[in-house]
Amino acid sequence: MTQHPAVQIRHLTKRIGKKTIVDDLSFDIQPGEVFGFLGPNGAGKTTTIRMMVNLVSRTKGEVFIQGIDLSKHFSEAMKHVGVIVENPELYKFLTGYQNLKHFANMSLGVDKQRIDELVKIVGLEGRIHDRVRTYSLGMRQRLGLAVVLLRRPSVLLLDEPTNGLDPAGIRELRDYLRLLANNEGIAVVVSSHLLAEMELMCDRVAIIQNGKLIDVRTLKELATDTGEEVAVTFEVEPMDRAVHLIQQQFPDMRLTSSEKQVVVATQREVIPDIVAALAAEQVRIFGVTATNKSLEDSFLELTGGNQIV
Amino acid sequence: MFKLLANENMKIYPRLRTYILVGVLALAVILIAWIQADVQKPNPNWKQTLTTQNTQISQELKQTKAKLPARTRVQLQQKETLNDYYISHNTDPNRQTLWTFNQAIVTNVPPLLLAFILVVAGDIVASEFSAGTIKFLLTQTKRRYIVLLAKYLATLFFGLVMTCAFFVISTAVGALFFGAHGAGLPHFYNTPSGSVAQMSTLSYVFMQYGFLLIQIVIVSTIAFMISTIFRNSAVAITLSILAYLLGNSICRVLAEYGFQWTKYILFSNMDFSQYVVGGPLVNGMTAWFSVGMVVAYFLVMNVLTWWIFMKRDVALT
């Protein structure tokens, strides 16, 4: 069953009139990974997620979930999918439990035990028989998560899941998604326009702009990529000797210095050599910090700044 | 399918809104009963009143001649014949029993009943869009047309339940105010051919409820279509009720002024009681013509509803 990628997207395209909102997206998402859609507002992230579950029709392209063609076998494919688009909007006039029952009725093979189990997992035992109207946003988020987990999906799609959550809520959600991906092998797809958030949450990120796939990056790879330049900050004394030394021994290295710090752009491999050279000449080293070129820089570079189209 | 219907019912019946609607309906029925029992005291000189009424009618018909719309003239003439019939059969038309009360209710209160049914019918699809719950509703394992079908059936079922509740309420209230008798008493009515016929009041009441149910199905279908087209429940409810109320009165006015094409409007054909009592809205309309019109409109509306719902993008709201 796991020989397929969890989700395969082929040539996904959405046009409305003359405007192309999503343009020929193709990629695979593997089981057990947290995959992020990153892009500025209006880049087509939400439309892409909605097309992945037939909320929005596709102009062109196919979606396969666990190898099942979504347009041909909707029910079979959707059995594996749980999706929350924007905020989890539930029936406010029903209780949390009634909401769970409602959506359990709409999915095959979900019994009462599973509902009770999920109520415990999301920690709503105390309030589950209250009307959703009285819930806080965090509680609604948790109830929404319970709704989509009813069917034990192997693919979880979350559109802007952290919108409106406080930092504690974001943290909680992040840990929980990580748990689902690692322990249950669920493929989690998250969309966001917030870079820092994606960096913390995802294994891989697809960068989307103007409906086009610009790049797919593995975040861990990005951090240790040997070819990439890193900015290394040295806290040293005396400053002038250190600057002189580095310029002498590493002539083609870009260097900036301030009163207490010297920052050089170099490869990760070279850092120990610089430290050794400084130490050999009796320069006192108080600290060495290597900063990876952040996803933010790559993102801004790729998308050409903050341009929102 | 059964589970989906249970879902829809769960979203209709336990809500405060539904109880308020039933409550207002009950209040209206009680109010009418109270007025009839208290204000319209039995009149020992009823024969004389009817005779006076008839003289007035004949005078009016003579004086106004061609000025009155044709339909109004017919209605006045029918009233005259009916009054003569009451007098010759020695039956007071204002005598009060449970079943005459039921008959009065089923001929006069349906607009209120229908308006309340439309609140639910107009809301049932649109509210899912308004509240955003449509995103969850359509991303379970059920296909769209099945979800919509469950909603349609739940709407029709609600119409039936409300009508039954309406019947039970008016029977209970009628029995309370006027005593549980009068089922077998004859009820006189004008036939389309201009004569007067009679039927037991019980049969007449049930016949009218039958015609009412047909109307409810059609009006619910209109509201359901509006609910699917307009994704805002407030707009959908308002438009549905407006369409029903205005549609009916506009047709009546158009028919009064003799526009023949009025007969092609759905609202002219919905009420089949016109072929048993009083005669058709537009001369020359037949029951089979209306059946054809209603079926045609019904099909078109349903095809449109399903087509729109299947095509609809649940886009950024």
Side-chain angles (χ1 to χ4, degrees):
Chain A
M1 210 176 121
T2 44
Q3 72 251 42
H4 303 286
V7 182
Q8 288 164 287
I9 288 173
R10 294 288 172 267
H11 309 295
L12 208 58
T13 302
K14 176 71 179 176
R15 267 184 231 112
I16 297 178
K18 276 183 191 157
K19 202 162 178 261
T20 306
I21 290 159
V22 173
D23 193 0
D24 202 35
L25 290 188
S26 299
F27 48 81
D28 291 353
I29 296 158
Q30 303 301 333
E33 76 170 335
V34 180
F35 186 90
F37 283 149
L38 183 58
N41 288 326
K45 297 169 304 219
T46 298
T47 310
T48 306
I49 288 192
R50 288 179 194 231
M51 278 198 285
M52 286 166 76
V53 290
N54 272 8
L55 277 178
V56 168
S57 64
R58 302 183 283 276
T59 310
K60 223 182 75 194
E62 284 123 36
V63 174
F64 297 92
I65 286 155
Q66 303 292 1
I68 304 164
D69 188 339
L70 183 73
S71 37
K72 285 193 189 121
H73 307 284
F74 179 79
S75 302
E76 287 78 2
M78 286 305 288
K79 234 191 280 180
H80 303 287
V81 182
V83 56
I84 304 182
V85 180
E86 289 165 338
N87 292 322
E89 273 131 345
L90 292 149
Y91 299 103
K92 292 197 179 89
F93 52 87
L94 298 179
T95 66
Y97 194 83
Q98 283 174 319
N99 268 291
L100 284 173
K101 199 159 170 297
H102 178 275
F103 291 107
N105 277 344
M106 297 187 78
S107 1
L108 291 168
V110 179
D111 52 14
K112 203 184 161 302
Q113 269 172 344
R114 178 68 180 157
I115 298 179
D116 295 337
E117 197 181 309
L118 273 166
V119 172
K120 266 195 214 104
I121 291 176
V122 298
L124 281 175
E125 295 106 313
R127 298 287 306 278
I128 199 65
H129 291 292
D130 292 348
R131 283 177 201 272
V132 173
R133 200 189 299 284
T134 65
Y135 285 16
S136 69
L137 186 66
M139 291 167 74
R140 287 180 197 182
Q141 202 92 21
R142 278 188 273 164
L143 184 61
L145 217 47
V147 165
V148 295
L149 290 174
L150 280 171
R151 289 198 291 274
R152 301 171 207 274
S154 55
V155 176
L156 202 55
L157 307 176
L158 305 171
D159 184 24
E160 304 275 357
T162 54
N163 262 7
L165 283 187
D166 55 19
I170 293 178
R171 168 103 205 217
E172 189 185 318
L173 181 75
R174 194 165 66 216
D175 293 346
Y176 191 59
L177 294 183
R178 177 52 61 193
L179 196 80
L180 286 173
N182 291 351
N183 295 2
E184 319 221 352
I186 295 179
V188 182
V189 181
V190 200
S191 85
S192 177
H193 59 278
L194 298 173
L195 292 149
E197 206 173 82
M198 294 300 252
E199 256 179 318
L200 288 169
M201 211 183 273
C202 304
D203 300 316
R204 280 201 303 156
V205 169
I207 299 173
I208 298 172
Q209 194 193 20
N210 296 338
K212 285 196 189 76
L213 184 66
I214 296 198
D215 196 11
V216 180
R217 299 211 156 195
T218 304
L219 288 183
K220 278 162 199 154
E221 215 173 68
L222 201 74
T224 53
D225 199 342
T226 44
E228 296 268 334
E229 277 198 333
V230 261
V232 190
T233 309
F234 292 93
E235 271 180 66
V236 285
E237 223 182 71
M239 181 60 67
D240 43 355
R241 187 138 46 104
V243 173
H244 179 71
L245 226 151
I246 295 171
Q247 276 171 337
Q248 204 174 38
Q249 296 200 10
F250 307 91
D252 46 351
M253 197 169 281
R254 277 183 286 129
L255 180 148
T256 49
S257 63
S258 64
E259 210 172 305
K260 282 205 172 114
Q261 293 181 332
V262 51
V263 183
V264 296
T266 181
Q267 272 91 43
R268 197 179 160 80
E269 297 293 284
V270 189
I271 300 172
D273 301 341
I274 304 173
V275 173
L278 291 172
E281 291 297 318
Q282 317 298 312
V283 174
R284 284 146 56 89
I285 305 168
F286 298 96
V288 180
T289 325
T291 346
N292 286 305
K293 201 169 164 189
S294 73
L295 182 62
E296 183 166 2
D297 296 330
S298 331
F299 175 72
L300 291 177
E301 200 175 284
L302 284 165
T303 58
N306 259 338
Q307 179 190 5
I308 296 171
V309 181
Chain B
M1 189 68 219
F2 186 75
K3 279 182 171 176
L4 290 193
L5 259 175
N7 271 355
E8 294 309 322
N9 288 340
M10 180 166 76
K11 288 183 271 180
I12 296 175
Y13 299 100
R15 295 181 69 174
L16 183 64
R17 180 184 73 185
T18 311
Y19 290 102
I20 292 175
L21 294 182
V22 174
V24 171
L25 208 57
L27 214 65
V29 171
I30 292 171
L31 208 66
I32 293 170
W34 179 71
I35 290 170
Q36 287 204 346
D38 204 57
V39 181
Q40 295 184 357
K41 292 268 186 315
N43 177 3
N45 300 323
W46 61 270
K47 274 190 188 171
Q48 211 175 344
T49 317
L50 286 187
T51 320
T52 331
Q53 214 175 56
N54 269 2
T55 355
Q56 278 168 354
I57 290 174
S58 338
Q59 256 174 7
E60 200 181 336
L61 283 174
K62 237 180 268 163
Q63 279 166 4
T64 54
K65 286 232 168 90
K67 276 185 212 153
L68 275 179
R71 206 178 147 72
T72 316
R73 285 182 72 83
V74 171
Q75 276 165 353
L76 285 174
Q77 276 159 0
Q78 283 181 343
K79 176 118 183 115
E80 199 179 9
T81 345
L82 203 58
N83 283 348
D84 284 340
Y85 208 83
Y86 284 132
I87 296 164
S88 60
H89 284 73
N90 201 21
T91 316
D92 178 2
N94 288 324
R95 75 203 184 286
Q96 295 290 1
T97 70
L98 159 62
W99 290 98
T100 55
F101 176 69
N102 253 343
Q103 184 271 321
I105 290 290
V106 77
T107 23
N108 296 315
V109 190
L112 190 64
L113 173 68
L114 271 160
F116 287 172
I117 292 171
L118 292 188
V119 170
V120 170
D123 187 57
I124 195 157
V125 180
S127 68
E128 302 276 359
F129 281 96
S130 288
T133 44
I134 189 81
K135 294 177 290 185
F136 270 137
L137 196 69
L138 295 183
T139 51
Q140 310 301 315
T141 58
K142 300 292 178 200
R143 284 184 160 270
R144 279 192 187 195
Y145 66 90
I146 296 187
V147 174
L148 192 64
L149 185 64
K151 283 195 171 292
Y152 186 54
L153 293 180
T155 308
L156 296 184
F157 185 68
F158 178 73
L160 186 67
V161 168
M162 279 299 268
T163 313
C164 290
F166 181 61
F167 175 73
V168 170
I169 290 169
S170 33
T171 305
V173 171
L176 212 66
F177 276 83
F178 308 107
H181 54 83
L185 284 177
H187 177 80
F188 302 123
Y189 58 94
N190 296 103
T191 64
S193 61
S195 60
V196 171
Q198 68 176 62
M199 193 188 277
S200 80
T201 314
L202 183 74
S203 318
Y204 188 83
V205 167
F206 278 111
M207 179 188 77
Q208 290 292 9
Y209 267 103
F211 291 137
L212 181 61
L213 280 177
I214 297 174
Q215 270 201 68
I216 286 173
V217 170
I218 299 162
V219 175
S220 301
T221 306
I222 301 173
F224 194 71
M225 178 181 69
I226 292 175
S227 187
T228 308
I229 295 174
F230 297 92
R231 282 162 292 178
N232 179 309
S233 53
V235 172
I237 293 172
T238 316
L239 273 182
S240 303
I241 294 177
L242 266 182
Y244 164 66
L245 294 177
L246 282 183
N248 263 346
S249 359
I250 287 174
C251 279
R252 214 165 297 133
V253 171
L254 287 175
E256 214 126 287
Y257 285 99
F259 292 110
Q260 277 291 315
W261 47 263
T262 311
K263 65 180 179 181
Y264 297 109
I265 301 173
L266 174 60
F267 294 101
S268 313
N269 295 288
M270 286 192 314
D271 181 11
F272 283 90
S273 71
Q274 61 185 320
Y275 297 110
V276 181
V277 184
L281 192 65
V282 177
N283 266 333
M285 275 167 68
T286 67
W288 284 113
F289 172 80
S290 283
V291 168
M293 291 301 292
V294 164
V295 168
Y297 270 105
F298 183 80
L299 288 179
V300 169
M301 287 194 295
N302 271 318
V303 167
L304 206 64
T305 306
W306 257 264
W307 184 71
I308 288 171
F309 192 73
M310 296 301 289
K311 291 276 289 180
R312 168 137 289 159
D313 278 351
V314 183
L316 295 161
T317 36

